[in-house]
Amino acid sequence: MGAVMTETPAPPLKLFNSLTRSLEEFVPVHPGEARVYSCGPTVYNYPHIGNMRAYVFADTLGRTLSFKGYKLTHVINITDVGHLTDDADAGEDKLEKAAAEKAQSIWDIARHYTEAYWADVKALNIRQPAHWSIATDYVPQMIEFAKAIADKHCYELASGLYFDTTTVADYGRLARHGTDEGESRIDPVDGKRHAADFAIWRKTPPGETRQMEWDSPWGRGAPGWHLECSVMSEALLGFPFDIHTGGIDHREIHHPNEIAQNQAHSCSDASGARFWMHNNFLVERSGKMSKSAGEFLRLQLLIDKGYHPLAYRLMCLQAHYRSELEFSWEGLGAALTRLKRLRYAAAALECELECYSRQERPISAEILALRSEFDEAMSNDLNTPQALTIVERTFAAKHLERWERADAVADFGEVLGLKFFYDIATLPRVRPKTATITEAEIEAILARRKEARAAKDFVTSDKLRDELIAAGVEVMDGDPLGWDWRLE
Ligand code: AMP
Ligand code: ZN
């Protein structure tokens, strides 16, 4: 991917910082570098497509940082211990619960769902981060961290070691709530001094054995969920680092608690990351997407129904990451159609990419302008909806040289993580699992139908169309994108 070849200086990257609730220019901690930590999945179940929106966002952020010339170090953690069924210290450990329900080893559960998550990551063209940090690999460091803050900031109860949120300045500033407000008021733990106080270490109740437990100065038990991200981000990215990401729910409890721990551990007011960034939710018409409701939307279900996974990525990018996005099958269908159109436009330009090298010819002013508009859009807090329209305008600028349009959209596609130039003919048309008819059969019937129509034999033409409908194939006469059929 090339740097933007503009004569005017590239615009500075501006990102919305949840800490200040404002757009700020990105200035890295280490010149030329960008260090990003993203809260990863809790691997007790499959991720739903809402969870994957968080990683499409983090990946698009990472790609934009690379595009802007920063050397990116991205960490995504895998939470395989500590996350309770309620973010505010209530309920059971999500993984222990899943293991008990399924009568399986917790380690097998974690491995299975981590692999399922990685499959979705790959399908959505999310780049591999520099590190996948697994929480259970860092328990000794978590104990050391807890020991360092225990005396000044924590108190012990029968159930564990708790962080006293009044011991740090301005607790809850990220969520804009204090120690006795906010969602964390839902407080089931006996003896907690303040509603927002949270577990650093959870002791195994007497007489019980957990599948995952470790010895600690506070007894055998498991680390609290918030502790892991403070420990792993510092271990892998240093302190402070540049950007911490997560879904908007994390702005309320998980990230304020990480910040409190970071303040305590660094004996300062430093939050740990310069930018805290949050993607908004993917919602269903009926409300928030949730796994506890039983049936939920997995990427694999979309694929089984014949939607290319990148249609879902495109659907995410059509909305700004800070806006709520409502999922609908019609919306996904529209995104698939748009992806196909982009792919066909790319196919028309494809050979141009191989035929010319960038240096061979001067680039037109118009392409330079489109490139800098794209840069402006992405530099403006990742305005992907606008960036997509610039991609389309570049494809459509038919009066310009094909090679320079091809070159520009290849670069844009790299930033957006949409593979315009790969597997163009086959990929967008994913076969639903249930389809029995082959593509060759469909094409053969359509060819016969074309002949019948040319001969004005509409009885035969309609019969052939009905035959296709019976096989689950919709015939799309006159589709402006050139797609003449699709599998239902
Ligand atoms: P979890 O596996 O529950 O820890 O969540 C993984 C990531 O998905 C976190 O960053 C959450 O904030 C995020 N997330 C959860 N639900 C949604 C949703 N419906 N839309 C977007 N992001 C979500
Ligand atoms: Zn986290």
Side-chain angles (χ1 to χ4, degrees), residues 13 92 362 442 461 479:
L13 175 61
E92 301 160 71
I442 297 169
S461 139
D479 173 44

Side-chain angles (χ1 to χ4, degrees), residues 40-42 48 50-51 54-55 83 246-247 249-250 279-282 289:
T42 308
H48 58 54
N51 297 129
Y55 306 106
H83 197 168
D249 51 334
H250 287 351
N279 63 276
N280 211 322
F281 270 146
L282 179 79
M289 197 159 284

Side-chain angles (χ1 to χ4, degrees), residues 51-363:
N51 297 129
M52 296 315 293
R53 186 184 185 197
Y55 306 106
V56 167
F57 154 62
D59 179 57
T60 308
L61 171 66
R63 287 170 177 271
T64 304
L65 288 160
S66 302
F67 167 66
K68 299 295 285 178
Y70 297 103
K71 181 178 164 287
L72 175 72
T73 309
H74 190 192
V75 174
I76 304 179
N77 75 285
I78 301 288
T79 296
D80 55 355
V81 67
H83 197 168
L84 302 192
T85 46
D86 184 308
D87 281 0
D89 282 340
E92 301 160 71
D93 187 295
K94 287 185 175 186
L95 270 118
E96 291 275 355
K97 183 165 178 259
E101 279 167 6
K102 296 194 165 79
Q104 276 179 19
S105 135
I106 208 163
W107 302 98
D108 289 345
I109 300 251
R111 191 175 323 109
H112 176 77
Y113 293 116
T114 303
E115 278 165 13
Y117 165 69
W118 282 338
D120 286 2
V121 161
K122 185 158 182 256
L124 290 168
N125 198 26
I126 291 167
R127 296 195 300 187
Q128 289 286 322
H131 307 276
W132 292 110
S133 58
I134 315 280
T136 47
D137 288 345
Y138 286 81
V139 175
Q141 289 95 316
M142 293 184 213
I143 293 172
E144 286 311 308
F145 188 113
K147 271 160 68 181
I149 63 172
D151 284 352
K152 275 174 83 175
H153 298 277
C154 304
Y155 54 93
E156 206 173 330
L157 297 176
S159 54
L161 184 71
Y162 288 83
F163 190 96
D164 181 336
T165 49
T166 60
T167 63
V168 290
D170 211 5
Y171 172 78
R173 62 187 144 136
L174 178 67
R176 305 273 155 108
H177 67 63
T179 52
D180 289 311
E181 308 159 48
E183 252 183 87
S184 48
R185 193 154 19 106
I186 309 156
D187 172 20
V189 178
D190 271 351
K192 267 189 2 183
R193 292 183 190 160
H194 314 98
D197 293 357
F198 56 91
I200 292 278
W201 188 262
R202 288 178 302 108
K203 297 181 199 174
T204 305
E208 268 184 37
T209 339
R210 288 181 181 152
Q211 286 196 47
M212 278 185 179
E213 53 180 10
W214 294 261
D215 286 322
S216 83
W218 315 281
R220 228 170 142 64
W225 170 44
H226 315 296
L227 188 57
E228 66 186 56
C229 289
S230 283
V231 169
M232 294 189 285
S233 61
E234 179 169 359
L236 293 163
L237 298 175
F239 189 95
F241 60 96
D242 296 301
I243 306 174
H244 197 314
T245 78
I248 192 87
D249 51 334
H250 287 351
R251 199 182 70 183
E252 304 307 315
I253 298 176
H254 181 49
H255 290 170
N257 291 353
E258 269 186 59
I259 290 174
Q261 294 167 157
N262 294 346
Q263 286 175 264
H265 195 246
S266 65
C267 303
S268 74
D269 283 343
S271 76
R274 285 208 174 154
F275 283 79
W276 293 78
M277 293 178 70
H278 298 98
N279 63 276
N280 211 322
F281 270 146
L282 179 79
V283 295
E284 288 182 90
R285 208 152 289 168
S286 55
K288 193 185 155 200
M289 197 159 284
S290 132
K291 292 180 208 175
S292 45
E295 272 283 291
F296 59 86
L297 289 172
R298 285 176 54 194
L299 191 64
Q300 191 56 49
L301 178 70
L302 273 48
I303 296 169
D304 289 347
K305 282 184 183 277
Y307 294 92
H308 193 275
L310 288 184
Y312 177 64
R313 181 173 181 122
L314 180 59
M315 186 183 180
C316 291
L317 298 178
Q318 288 180 162
H320 189 261
Y321 75 88
R322 283 196 285 123
S323 308
E324 202 170 81
L325 171 62
E326 185 178 296
F327 177 81
S328 70
W329 292 104
E330 302 78 61
L332 184 64
L336 180 60
T337 303
R338 195 176 186 191
L339 180 68
K340 288 172 185 171
R341 201 175 59 199
L342 291 165
R343 286 263 171 97
Y344 275 108
L349 292 179
E350 198 187 13
C351 84
E352 307 298 325
L353 268 186
E354 286 140 31
C355 305
Y356 299 92
S357 87
R358 287 165 193 253
Q359 286 83 24
E360 263 176 42
R361 296 175 183 201
I363 295 162

